[in-house]
Amino acid sequence: MESVVHWFAENMPSFLTPEAAVFLISMVPILELRGGLLLATVLKIPMLQAVIACILGNIIPIPFILLFIRQIFKWLKKTKVFRPLIVKLEKRAMGKSDKIKKYEFWGLVLFVGIPLPGTGAWTGALIASLLEVDLKKSVPAILLGLCIATIIMCFLGYGALGSVLS
């Protein structure tokens, strides 16, 4: 992820402000808030501005995933082109769902909150949707997980690793 962030920082389109770039990176699956905060560190964006841009960017896709992904997947599985990809995505997401099935709310909080590869709000929302976790549980769990991930990544990006990445 670090190499992608550095590449983007070096090749960022001139029409994007640094904050807009951080916002957009935070919307991208896999990179999400973690990548956005690392990019903000590289671009020397003040932490508060970075946190706001990252959280907003990471939150925007979540309601759409929670509400519509099952219907979209169902529709895409009817096509020859997308069926293998959707089956793979579902299988991958469900392979990470054991803790969420068992602990639901707290499992989802930890899954989203601990910034490891393959975790985050996108995958957490996908799993919650596929498991049909109630929105009253999944939305607060994902938001709390994002807060935890933000604190951890701020510590890493602006503290411990900040001098190394810059």
Side-chain angles (χ1 to χ4, degrees), residues 36-109:
L37 281 172
L38 290 177
L39 180 61
T41 303
V42 171
L43 297 176
K44 300 187 183 335
I45 296 173
M47 187 171 64
L48 182 59
Q49 286 177 310
V51 165
I52 292 169
C54 288
I55 289 177
L56 288 176
N58 206 189
I59 284 177
I60 287 174
I62 302 310
F64 298 102
I65 295 168
L66 290 171
L67 295 172
F68 304 119
I69 202 69
R70 282 183 304 189
Q71 294 87 346
I72 292 169
F73 276 12
K74 189 177 182 181
W75 178 71
L76 288 174
K77 281 202 282 190
K78 293 178 183 176
T79 67
K80 288 181 183 179
V81 175
F82 291 107
R83 181 171 176 65
L85 174 64
I86 300 306
V87 169
K88 183 180 176 182
L89 284 171
E90 286 179 334
K91 192 175 194 177
R92 188 171 172 214
M94 295 310 285
K96 298 179 179 204
S97 68
D98 292 345
K99 298 292 184 210
I100 295 173
K101 278 184 197 173
K102 186 174 181 181
Y103 300 108
E104 258 190 17
F105 181 84
W106 290 109
L108 192 54
V109 168

Side-chain angles (χ1 to χ4, degrees), residues 11-28:
N11 298 292
M12 190 171 68
S14 59
F15 61 86
L16 278 181
T17 65
E19 292 81 5
V22 167
F23 174 81
L24 291 174
I25 286 291
S26 297
M27 292 180 81
V28 174

